[in-house]
Amino acid sequence: MSGISLFPVFLVGLFGSVHCAGMCGGIVSAFSITARPFPVAVVTQGAGTRVASYNAGRIASYMLAGALAGGLAGGARVLGGVQQLQAGGYLLANLMLVALGLYLMDAWRGLAHVEALGNGLWNRIRPLAQRLQPLDGAGKMLGLGALWGWLPCGMVYSALVTAMFSGSALSGAAVMLAFGLGTLPMLMAIGLAGARLRAMMQRRAVRIGAGVVVLGFGLLGVARAMGGVHGGWLDLLCLPGATA
């Protein structure tokens, strides 16, 4: 996949990261000097290194999930011969963006039911985080991020649908890397600035604004999937389809 085709995935991660402020923001803001009250041993020196290590682990888990999703879809050559599956997957990916936009706006919480599907896996993974305490080194933060990357999250699942129909394990990993990098500015900022920025990002006006943008991406993609609009500049705003 090209950088241009991955740019919309990056934008989804960027605007959707207001949701990350609520899901992951609590633990990330604990790495900040301004967020001292936290029920684990977190030292105040080297907050930037700890935040970067945590996010590196988190994005690595996203990439692994994307590779698995892309591989399970059958690979680029198999998908290239099944046009209906490609079209259906592209439509589903954009419908997930519509659901995500409504979720961010708190207009429809249907995506919460999708999140619940990951609870079984998360209940098995979460206890492993206790073995990393105290969080007193970059290596432990990397491990924590790798575990936290499997936290049930409707936004991540919406990106995984795109990864699944991207055509291959490599393309699926690339999709989730672009998505993870989109979420990075928000979580890095929260990790360094603390709970005050997290609270600001959770304001209703901010969530509605971000939700409208993501909803717009999804609606454009749905219109394109249905043949209502065509490529050109829309390639910068619509999710990529499978590659041959």
PDB file of all heavy atoms in Angstrom, residues 10 16 46 53 93 97 100 106 129 132 150 154-155 170 189 236 239:
ATOM      1  N   PHE A  10      -4.702   6.965   8.756  1.00  0.00           N
ATOM      2  CA  PHE A  10      -4.019   7.839   9.711  1.00  0.00           C
ATOM      3  C   PHE A  10      -4.980   8.902  10.242  1.00  0.00           C
ATOM      4  O   PHE A  10      -5.012   9.176  11.455  1.00  0.00           O
ATOM      5  CB  PHE A  10      -2.808   8.493   9.038  1.00  0.00           C
ATOM      6  CG  PHE A  10      -2.129   9.536   9.882  1.00  0.00           C
ATOM      7  CD1 PHE A  10      -1.167   9.165  10.815  1.00  0.00           C
ATOM      8  CD2 PHE A  10      -2.441  10.874   9.744  1.00  0.00           C
ATOM      9  CE1 PHE A  10      -0.534  10.119  11.598  1.00  0.00           C
ATOM     10  CE2 PHE A  10      -1.815  11.841  10.519  1.00  0.00           C
ATOM     11  CZ  PHE A  10      -0.858  11.458  11.449  1.00  0.00           C
ATOM     12  N   GLY A  16     -10.104  10.113  15.658  1.00  0.00           N
ATOM     13  CA  GLY A  16     -10.754   9.192  16.587  1.00  0.00           C
ATOM     14  C   GLY A  16     -10.050   9.077  17.918  1.00  0.00           C
ATOM     15  O   GLY A  16     -10.590   8.499  18.866  1.00  0.00           O
ATOM     16  N   GLY A  46      12.062  10.821  33.346  1.00  0.00           N
ATOM     17  CA  GLY A  46      11.998  10.087  32.082  1.00  0.00           C
ATOM     18  C   GLY A  46      10.595   9.771  31.636  1.00  0.00           C
ATOM     19  O   GLY A  46      10.351   8.732  31.034  1.00  0.00           O
ATOM     20  N   SER A  53       7.723   4.352  25.054  1.00  0.00           N
ATOM     21  CA  SER A  53       7.819   2.891  25.126  1.00  0.00           C
ATOM     22  C   SER A  53       6.440   2.253  25.175  1.00  0.00           C
ATOM     23  O   SER A  53       6.176   1.252  24.489  1.00  0.00           O
ATOM     24  CB  SER A  53       8.631   2.480  26.358  1.00  0.00           C
ATOM     25  OG  SER A  53       9.944   2.965  26.280  1.00  0.00           O
ATOM     26  N   ALA A  93     -16.180  -1.842   5.998  1.00  0.00           N
ATOM     27  CA  ALA A  93     -15.187  -0.992   6.662  1.00  0.00           C
ATOM     28  C   ALA A  93     -15.703   0.429   6.819  1.00  0.00           C
ATOM     29  O   ALA A  93     -15.520   1.069   7.864  1.00  0.00           O
ATOM     30  CB  ALA A  93     -13.880  -1.006   5.870  1.00  0.00           C
ATOM     31  N   LEU A  97     -16.870   2.889  10.095  1.00  0.00           N
ATOM     32  CA  LEU A  97     -16.502   4.283  10.340  1.00  0.00           C
ATOM     33  C   LEU A  97     -17.728   5.126  10.677  1.00  0.00           C
ATOM     34  O   LEU A  97     -17.662   6.015  11.539  1.00  0.00           O
ATOM     35  CB  LEU A  97     -15.804   4.873   9.114  1.00  0.00           C
ATOM     36  CG  LEU A  97     -14.344   4.529   8.896  1.00  0.00           C
ATOM     37  CD1 LEU A  97     -13.753   5.424   7.817  1.00  0.00           C
ATOM     38  CD2 LEU A  97     -13.534   4.680  10.173  1.00  0.00           C
ATOM     39  N   LEU A 100     -18.456   4.377  14.150  1.00  0.00           N
ATOM     40  CA  LEU A 100     -17.474   5.005  15.022  1.00  0.00           C
ATOM     41  C   LEU A 100     -17.751   6.491  15.186  1.00  0.00           C
ATOM     42  O   LEU A 100     -17.665   7.029  16.295  1.00  0.00           O
ATOM     43  CB  LEU A 100     -16.069   4.790  14.454  1.00  0.00           C
ATOM     44  CG  LEU A 100     -14.929   5.503  15.191  1.00  0.00           C
ATOM     45  CD1 LEU A 100     -14.858   5.053  16.653  1.00  0.00           C
ATOM     46  CD2 LEU A 100     -13.592   5.257  14.488  1.00  0.00           C
ATOM     47  N   ASP A 106     -21.525  10.168  20.681  1.00  0.00           N
ATOM     48  CA  ASP A 106     -22.465   9.638  21.678  1.00  0.00           C
ATOM     49  C   ASP A 106     -23.896   9.686  21.173  1.00  0.00           C
ATOM     50  O   ASP A 106     -24.850   9.827  21.936  1.00  0.00           O
ATOM     51  CB  ASP A 106     -22.349  10.395  23.010  1.00  0.00           C
ATOM     52  CG  ASP A 106     -22.801   9.548  24.196  1.00  0.00           C
ATOM     53  OD1 ASP A 106     -22.804   8.310  24.057  1.00  0.00           O
ATOM     54  OD2 ASP A 106     -23.146  10.127  25.243  1.00  0.00           O
ATOM     55  N   ALA A 129      -0.587  -7.880  33.133  1.00  0.00           N
ATOM     56  CA  ALA A 129      -0.068  -6.541  33.429  1.00  0.00           C
ATOM     57  C   ALA A 129       0.401  -6.424  34.875  1.00  0.00           C
ATOM     58  O   ALA A 129       1.308  -5.647  35.182  1.00  0.00           O
ATOM     59  CB  ALA A 129      -1.131  -5.487  33.127  1.00  0.00           C
ATOM     60  N   LEU A 132       4.086  -6.876  35.607  1.00  0.00           N
ATOM     61  CA  LEU A 132       5.024  -5.844  35.180  1.00  0.00           C
ATOM     62  C   LEU A 132       5.234  -4.769  36.240  1.00  0.00           C
ATOM     63  O   LEU A 132       6.118  -3.921  36.085  1.00  0.00           O
ATOM     64  CB  LEU A 132       4.527  -5.183  33.884  1.00  0.00           C
ATOM     65  CG  LEU A 132       4.415  -6.105  32.673  1.00  0.00           C
ATOM     66  CD1 LEU A 132       3.773  -5.370  31.512  1.00  0.00           C
ATOM     67  CD2 LEU A 132       5.781  -6.644  32.279  1.00  0.00           C
ATOM     68  N   TRP A 150      -4.413  -4.797  23.217  1.00  0.00           N
ATOM     69  CA  TRP A 150      -5.509  -5.761  23.014  1.00  0.00           C
ATOM     70  C   TRP A 150      -6.754  -5.389  23.814  1.00  0.00           C
ATOM     71  O   TRP A 150      -7.712  -6.163  23.862  1.00  0.00           O
ATOM     72  CB  TRP A 150      -5.046  -7.170  23.390  1.00  0.00           C
ATOM     73  CG  TRP A 150      -3.900  -7.615  22.555  1.00  0.00           C
ATOM     74  CD1 TRP A 150      -2.580  -7.542  22.879  1.00  0.00           C
ATOM     75  CD2 TRP A 150      -3.958  -8.173  21.237  1.00  0.00           C
ATOM     76  NE1 TRP A 150      -1.800  -8.027  21.855  1.00  0.00           N
ATOM     77  CE2 TRP A 150      -2.620  -8.416  20.839  1.00  0.00           C
ATOM     78  CE3 TRP A 150      -4.993  -8.478  20.367  1.00  0.00           C
ATOM     79  CZ2 TRP A 150      -2.311  -8.961  19.588  1.00  0.00           C
ATOM     80  CZ3 TRP A 150      -4.688  -9.023  19.130  1.00  0.00           C
ATOM     81  CH2 TRP A 150      -3.371  -9.261  18.753  1.00  0.00           C
ATOM     82  N   GLY A 154     -13.802  -0.319  20.150  1.00  0.00           N
ATOM     83  CA  GLY A 154     -14.550  -0.260  18.902  1.00  0.00           C
ATOM     84  C   GLY A 154     -13.795   0.477  17.809  1.00  0.00           C
ATOM     85  O   GLY A 154     -13.892   0.128  16.626  1.00  0.00           O
ATOM     86  N   MET A 155     -13.026   1.499  18.186  1.00  0.00           N
ATOM     87  CA  MET A 155     -12.266   2.247  17.198  1.00  0.00           C
ATOM     88  C   MET A 155     -11.189   1.363  16.566  1.00  0.00           C
ATOM     89  O   MET A 155     -10.990   1.378  15.351  1.00  0.00           O
ATOM     90  CB  MET A 155     -11.628   3.484  17.840  1.00  0.00           C
ATOM     91  CG  MET A 155     -11.012   4.419  16.830  1.00  0.00           C
ATOM     92  SD  MET A 155     -10.374   5.930  17.576  1.00  0.00           S
ATOM     93  CE  MET A 155      -8.795   5.342  18.179  1.00  0.00           C
ATOM     94  N   LEU A 170       0.867  -8.334   5.323  1.00  0.00           N
ATOM     95  CA  LEU A 170       1.736  -7.161   5.313  1.00  0.00           C
ATOM     96  C   LEU A 170       0.931  -5.873   5.184  1.00  0.00           C
ATOM     97  O   LEU A 170       1.187  -4.889   5.890  1.00  0.00           O
ATOM     98  CB  LEU A 170       2.744  -7.276   4.160  1.00  0.00           C
ATOM     99  CG  LEU A 170       3.782  -6.154   4.059  1.00  0.00           C
ATOM    100  CD1 LEU A 170       4.618  -6.079   5.329  1.00  0.00           C
ATOM    101  CD2 LEU A 170       4.675  -6.359   2.835  1.00  0.00           C
ATOM    102  N   ALA A 189       0.744  13.390  23.862  1.00  0.00           N
ATOM    103  CA  ALA A 189       0.459  14.676  24.508  1.00  0.00           C
ATOM    104  C   ALA A 189      -0.159  14.473  25.880  1.00  0.00           C
ATOM    105  O   ALA A 189       0.199  15.155  26.851  1.00  0.00           O
ATOM    106  CB  ALA A 189      -0.465  15.512  23.622  1.00  0.00           C
ATOM    107  N   LEU A 236      -7.770  10.673  -0.887  1.00  0.00           N
ATOM    108  CA  LEU A 236      -7.147  11.207   0.327  1.00  0.00           C
ATOM    109  C   LEU A 236      -8.060  11.104   1.531  1.00  0.00           C
ATOM    110  O   LEU A 236      -7.610  11.264   2.679  1.00  0.00           O
ATOM    111  CB  LEU A 236      -6.767  12.682   0.116  1.00  0.00           C
ATOM    112  CG  LEU A 236      -5.652  12.950  -0.905  1.00  0.00           C
ATOM    113  CD1 LEU A 236      -5.486  14.445  -1.119  1.00  0.00           C
ATOM    114  CD2 LEU A 236      -4.340  12.329  -0.445  1.00  0.00           C
ATOM    115  N   LEU A 239     -11.138   5.246   2.764  1.00  0.00           N
ATOM    116  CA  LEU A 239     -10.306   4.097   3.130  1.00  0.00           C
ATOM    117  C   LEU A 239      -9.831   3.364   1.892  1.00  0.00           C
ATOM    118  O   LEU A 239     -10.532   3.315   0.877  1.00  0.00           O
ATOM    119  CB  LEU A 239     -11.101   3.132   4.012  1.00  0.00           C
ATOM    120  CG  LEU A 239     -11.496   3.627   5.402  1.00  0.00           C
ATOM    121  CD1 LEU A 239     -12.311   2.557   6.119  1.00  0.00           C
ATOM    122  CD2 LEU A 239     -10.263   3.968   6.224  1.00  0.00           C
TER     123      LEU A 239
END
